[in-house]
């Protein structure tokens, strides 16, 4: 029973490029959460999605960031025109139900040069 | 908005000893969950223990137990018989059980060192 999968594990982008981070939830899970962890800090909530719907995006920066969770395929967190301040670890979690226990993936470490 | 505070950036414990990590939180709600997560150097977030606010009994998972003081809004983690593998960052987290919000709110973490 595979856990939450994220790829790539490490991503290097130059300033101004786009970053796409992928998250495949656990089998049977239809709820996905994205969190960002800046160096030496705790995780900060970004967005909560259920298949094809954004439920809560209260933690998403207003510009350059978007997320989707299509009917088929993984959830994607997209960062356009990356800046150095976007360098962080991005974690995805999934749950089976609304307010269910969240299981975390291993994270994607984004480095912007 | 709910906030979670971990006032101990670093803690150290000798192997086989007991250590307590502190966590306080601020909320006006009465129905919520509290969690402790462990993040080892691999960065994988691992759920250690959870507590439902309506349950008076403190949660226990093997060597890990909590001291939940709802009135004081305190949720400390006790690790007994510490092992080298317990060395990690530990994060306290809060999640409401009301309304449509389902996000976890994390504290800033406590780095636990385990010495021989």
């Amino acid at each position: 029973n595979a856990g939450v999968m994220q790829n790539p594990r490490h991503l290097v982008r130059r300033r101004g490029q786009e970053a796409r981070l992928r998250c495949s939830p656990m089998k049977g899970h239809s709820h996905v959460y994205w969190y960002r962890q800046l160096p030496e800090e705790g995780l900060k909530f970004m967005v909560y999605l259920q298949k094809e719907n954004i439920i809560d995006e209260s933690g998403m920066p207003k510009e350059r960031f978007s997320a989707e969770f299509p009917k088929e395929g993984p959830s994607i967190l997209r960062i356009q025109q990356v800046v150095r301040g976007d360098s962080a670890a991005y974690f995805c979690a999934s749950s089976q139900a609304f307010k269910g226990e969240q299981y975390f993936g291993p994270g994607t470490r984004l480095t912007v040069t | 908005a709910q906030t979670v505070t971990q006032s101990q950036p670093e803690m150290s414990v000798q192997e086989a000893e007991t250590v307590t990590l502190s966590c306080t939180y601020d909320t006006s709600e009465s129905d919520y969950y509290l969690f402790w997560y462990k993040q080892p150097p691999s960065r994988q977030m691992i759920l250690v223990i959870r507590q439902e606010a309506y349950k008076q009994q403190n949660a226990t998972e093997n060597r890990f137990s909590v001291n939940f003081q709802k009135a004081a809004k305190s949720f400390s983690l006790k690790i007994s018989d510490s092992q080298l593998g317990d060395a990690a960052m530990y994060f306290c987290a809060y999640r409401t059980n009301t309304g449509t919000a389902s996000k976890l709110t994390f504290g800033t973490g406590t780095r636990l060192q385990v010495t021989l």
Side-chain angles (χ1 to χ4, degrees):
Chain A
N1 186 12
V4 178
M5 300 180 70
Q6 290 188 248
N7 67 81
R9 293 293 307 276
H10 300 273
L11 182 61
V12 179
R13 284 288 177 265
R14 290 182 178 163
R15 278 179 297 170
Q17 290 185 318
E18 178 179 287
R20 279 183 179 239
L21 287 62
R22 293 174 182 77
C23 169
S24 296
M26 285 179 69
K27 188 176 180 180
H29 288 196
S30 60
H31 301 254
V32 165
Y33 310 79
W34 286 94
Y35 294 85
R36 177 165 64 175
Q37 185 178 29
L38 295 171
E40 305 303 319
E41 292 189 13
L43 278 70
K44 295 268 196 305
F45 168 77
M46 299 181 75
V47 63
Y48 163 37
L49 310 101
Q50 194 182 0
K51 282 288 187 180
E52 299 185 274
N53 292 301
I54 296 175
I55 308 300
D56 181 358
E57 55 181 347
S58 59
M60 282 282 267
K62 296 289 184 243
E63 298 178 349
R64 303 189 297 109
F65 286 72
S66 63
E68 62 176 12
F69 188 17
K71 189 176 180 181
E72 301 291 336
S75 175
I76 306 284
L77 179 67
R78 183 181 175 206
I79 312 171
Q80 294 179 292
Q81 299 174 332
V82 297
V83 301
R84 289 230 172 102
D86 297 332
S87 295
Y90 292 82
F91 288 90
C92 165
S94 74
S95 67
Q96 190 173 35
F98 175 61
K99 293 192 187 296
E101 182 173 329
Q102 294 180 30
Y103 294 84
F104 281 82
T108 294
R109 178 164 291 203
L110 172 65
T111 301
V112 179
T113 61
Chain B
Q2 292 80 23
T3 59
V4 177
T5 301
Q6 293 180 250
S7 57
Q8 305 156 315
E10 290 191 11
M11 292 284 284
S12 183
V13 63
Q14 282 193 318
E15 202 176 15
E17 298 295 309
T18 295
V19 65
T20 299
L21 308 184
S22 301
C23 173
T24 58
Y25 58 96
D26 187 26
T27 185
S28 58
E29 298 175 335
S30 58
D31 190 7
Y32 51 86
Y33 277 88
L34 295 164
F35 305 85
W36 278 98
Y37 281 87
K38 171 185 178 181
Q39 187 179 44
S42 67
R43 290 191 293 117
Q44 177 74 52
M45 294 291 286
I46 302 165
L47 178 64
V48 174
I49 200 165
R50 81 176 125 222
Q51 175 81 43
E52 187 174 0
Y54 269 110
K55 289 189 176 176
Q56 293 186 339
Q57 188 172 6
N58 289 322
T60 299
E61 289 287 342
N62 300 314
R63 297 183 295 108
F64 299 86
S65 60
V66 298
N67 183 3
F68 174 46
Q69 301 288 330
K70 191 172 182 179
K73 295 179 184 173
S74 170
F75 182 61
S76 60
L77 175 70
K78 185 171 85 171
I79 307 174
S80 304
D81 186 25
S82 297
Q83 301 174 359
L84 293 176
D86 295 334
M89 284 291 288
Y90 285 82
F91 293 98
C92 179
Y94 170 102
R95 196 201 75 206
T96 182
N97 210 32
T98 58
T100 58
S102 193
K103 65 184 180 185
L104 291 165
T105 300
F106 288 89
T108 51
T110 296
R111 185 179 302 278
L112 179 66
Q113 291 183 324
V114 181
T115 59
L116 293 171

